[in-house]
Structures are given as structure tokens and as C-alpha cells.
């Protein structure tokens, strides 16, 4: 039977960096579900669809082909109607589009089976907002990864700088707070800690310390 590790938490908590590195160590498939929502958000952006207009977004879904592909680099690429949009979905303006479209139950329902199928067919580390609560409620390991908004804003700033799209701290912090609020106050699958998830707060931890703490949680839960 395949093992699933679910990692949920707010944006900028370090989920993707930690999950990717853990997946490599354990030989699991890493699934970044935020990238899937970003792909739908990017489609709304590129097609001039108001991402808050559920009817318009839902009407666009049947014609969409959203696929995950794993390149030779081992990284998850997102394909939208056959086109690789991995870079485009990381543009700063797409974050809010992703957050807006992800609030719609029709979008969540559309993506649910795709995520579950990946977990049925692979050992996965899947990160997102509702993996432990909705997508994989029976996951063997559930972690709720968080950090203070300020620590997350500082990390996001570094990431944006490295990507060549720097933004001021105040703006990044404001957007983090706004997205936290959106993601945790929506009616459909809001961001929250599953009752059986282990809380890992990385505010005071660097990458190595966070990784060691995560590995320890996984070992305790899976015996691996
Ligand atoms: O993890 P991220 O920042 O790339 O996610 C982009 C948006 O997608 C985020 O604002 C909330 C949404 N999302 C979600 O609703 N459920 C998930 N499982 C993953 C992401």
C-alpha cells in the first residue's frame, strides 16, 4: 500500500522547499497542489476572467486540460492545455488569482480526484491547504507547518529576489496576511489544522532544523 504524507499550512511557511527535499530523501513523489490552483488562476488571468466570478471560472473548466509532468530535473511541471506554464504560475500577480479561484467549490471538486489519484498510485508527499483535512483524510502522516507572518514574508522576499522579481517587505507582508485571511475564511475547505496533524512552527528554525524536525515526525509516524 502506498504511503501519503500531507503537509498543510499558510503560504511562505516553507512547505514546498521542505516537502521537495523530504520527497527526494524518501524516494516519494512530491505533489505541490498550490501549483495546480495556480494553473487555474493563471488561466483566469490569461483569459481575462474575473477570478472571483465563480460562474465564469466554472464555465471555463470543462475546456481545460490541467496536467502534472515530472521533468528529467525531477521537478513538477504544470501543463495547461499541453503548454508548460511552470514559470508563468509563479508570477507574483498569479498568487491572488490562485487564492481567488481556489475559494470556489466547483474548482476544488474539479481538482479533487486528480490529487487523490496521485496518492493512490504513488508514495506521496503532498502539500497544500486541505490535504490532511479533505484530500487525504487517511494520510499516514499529517503535518501543519506554520511560521509567523513576518518570518514568512522575509522568506518570500528572498525567494522573489532570487527569481529576479523583488518586492518591498511591507507589500509582501500585506499580501501574506490577505492570503492567510482568504485561505482560512472561505467556506470550501478552508485552511485549518487537521485534528490528527502534528504542528510544526518554523519561525525560529532554519532549513536544516526544520527538515530534521519534519523527518523526525515522519519517522515516528511511519517507522521509516
Ligand atoms: O501554496 P501556494 O501559495 O502556491 O498556493 C496558491 C493558492 O492556492 C493559495 O492561496 C491557496 C490555494 N490552495 C488551496 O486552496 N488548496 C491547496 N491544497 C493548495 C493551494
Amino acid at each position: 500500500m502506498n504511503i501519503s504524507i500531507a503537509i498543510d499550512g499558510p503560504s511562505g511557511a516553507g512547505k514546498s522547499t521542505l516537502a521537495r527535499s523530504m520527497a527526494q530523501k524518501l524516494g516519494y513523489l512530491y505533489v505541490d497542489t498550490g501549483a495546480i490552483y495556480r494553473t487555474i488562476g493563471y488561466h483566469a488571468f490569461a483569459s481575462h476572467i474575473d477570478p472571483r466570478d465563480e460562474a465564469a471560472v466554472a464555465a471555463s473548466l470543462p475546456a481545460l486540460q490541467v496536467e502534472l509532468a515530472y521533468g528529467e530535473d525531477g521537478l513538477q511541471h504544470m501543463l495547461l492545455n499541453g503548454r508548460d506554464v511552470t514559470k508563468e504560475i509563479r508570477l507574483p500577480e498569479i498568487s491572488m488569482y490562485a487564492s481567488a479561484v481556489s475559494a470556489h467549490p466547483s474548482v476544488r471538486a474539479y481538482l479533487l480526484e486528480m490529487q487523490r489519484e496521485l496518492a493512490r498510485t504513488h508514495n506521496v508527499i503532498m502539500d497544500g491547504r486541505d490535504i490532511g483535512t479533505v484530500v487525504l483524510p487517511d494520510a499516514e502522516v499529517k503535518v501543519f507547518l506554520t511560521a509567523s507572518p513576518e518570518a514568512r514574508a522575509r522568506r518570500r522576499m528572498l525567494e522573489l529576489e532570487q527569481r529576479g522579481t523583488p518586492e518591498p517587505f511591507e507589500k509582501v507582508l500585506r499580501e501574506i496576511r490577505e492570503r492567510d485571511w482568504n485561505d482560512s475564511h472561505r467556506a470550501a475547505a478552508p485552511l485549518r489544522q487537521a485534528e490528527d496533524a502534528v504542528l510544526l512552527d518554523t519561525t525560529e528554525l532554519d532549513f536544516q532544523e526544520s527538515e530534521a524536525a519534519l523527518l523526525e515526525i515522519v519517522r515516528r509516524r511511519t517507522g521509516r
Side-chain angles (χ1 to χ4, degrees):
M1 212 193 70
N2 287 310
I3 291 189
S4 300
I5 301 175
I7 303 188
D8 290 304
S11 59
K15 297 187 301 291
S16 57
T17 320
L18 279 169
R20 192 179 301 120
S21 140
M22 289 281 296
Q24 233 172 22
K25 285 211 159 90
L26 298 170
Y28 282 23
L29 184 72
Y30 166 54
V31 182
D32 170 0
T33 65
I36 312 178
Y37 287 95
R38 283 173 178 273
T39 302
I40 308 280
Y42 173 72
H43 177 260
F45 169 80
S47 313
H48 308 289
I49 295 171
D50 178 353
R52 290 160 305 182
D53 181 345
E54 173 157 26
V57 174
S60 76
L61 295 177
L64 290 191
Q65 208 189 337
V66 177
E67 289 165 293
L68 279 78
Y70 288 86
E72 300 218 332
D73 48 9
L75 297 180
Q76 172 184 320
H77 288 246
M78 290 308 308
L79 305 182
L80 175 62
N81 296 333
R83 186 164 83 86
D84 192 323
V85 294
T86 311
K87 279 218 176 74
E88 288 85 338
I89 63 171
R90 298 294 162 195
L91 293 171
E93 59 266 39
I94 302 305
S95 299
M96 286 301 174
Y97 273 80
S99 185
V101 298
S102 73
H104 305 317
S106 51
V107 171
R108 307 203 71 84
Y110 173 78
L111 297 178
L112 187 61
E113 186 49 30
M114 172 184 192
Q115 298 169 77
R116 286 187 174 157
E117 175 66 15
L118 284 163
R120 267 196 295 273
T121 49
H122 303 82
N123 287 321
V124 291
I125 298 193
M126 197 174 277
D127 80 19
R129 303 294 188 288
D130 63 336
I131 309 306
T133 50
V134 176
V135 179
L136 306 175
D138 298 326
E140 282 74 10
V141 184
K142 296 184 188 180
V143 179
F144 194 79
L145 194 74
T146 191
S148 72
E150 291 77 12
R152 290 186 281 127
R154 275 194 298 276
R155 291 175 195 165
R156 186 65 95 197
M157 253 182 76
L158 271 178
E159 200 181 302
L160 290 169
E161 262 169 40
Q162 281 160 3
R163 280 195 194 131
T165 52
E167 303 256 349
F169 178 76
E170 287 309 321
K171 178 164 184 265
V172 176
L173 181 60
R174 192 172 59 242
E175 286 179 1
I176 285 216
R177 289 214 159 103
E178 204 177 321
R179 271 218 288 157
D180 281 359
W181 200 91
N182 286 349
D183 295 346
S184 53
H185 285 79
R186 65 183 181 219
L191 168 66
R192 66 174 180 84
Q193 184 179 345
E195 275 171 22
D196 50 353
V198 178
L199 177 69
L200 178 56
D201 186 328
T202 66
T203 304
E204 305 291 338
L205 306 182
D206 65 16
F207 177 76
Q208 266 79 28
E209 292 165 333
S210 305
E211 193 180 49
L214 187 56
L215 208 53
E216 179 56 29
I217 295 168
V218 171
R219 291 224 167 98
R220 239 186 297 139
R221 291 269 172 129
T222 63
R224 292 186 177 196

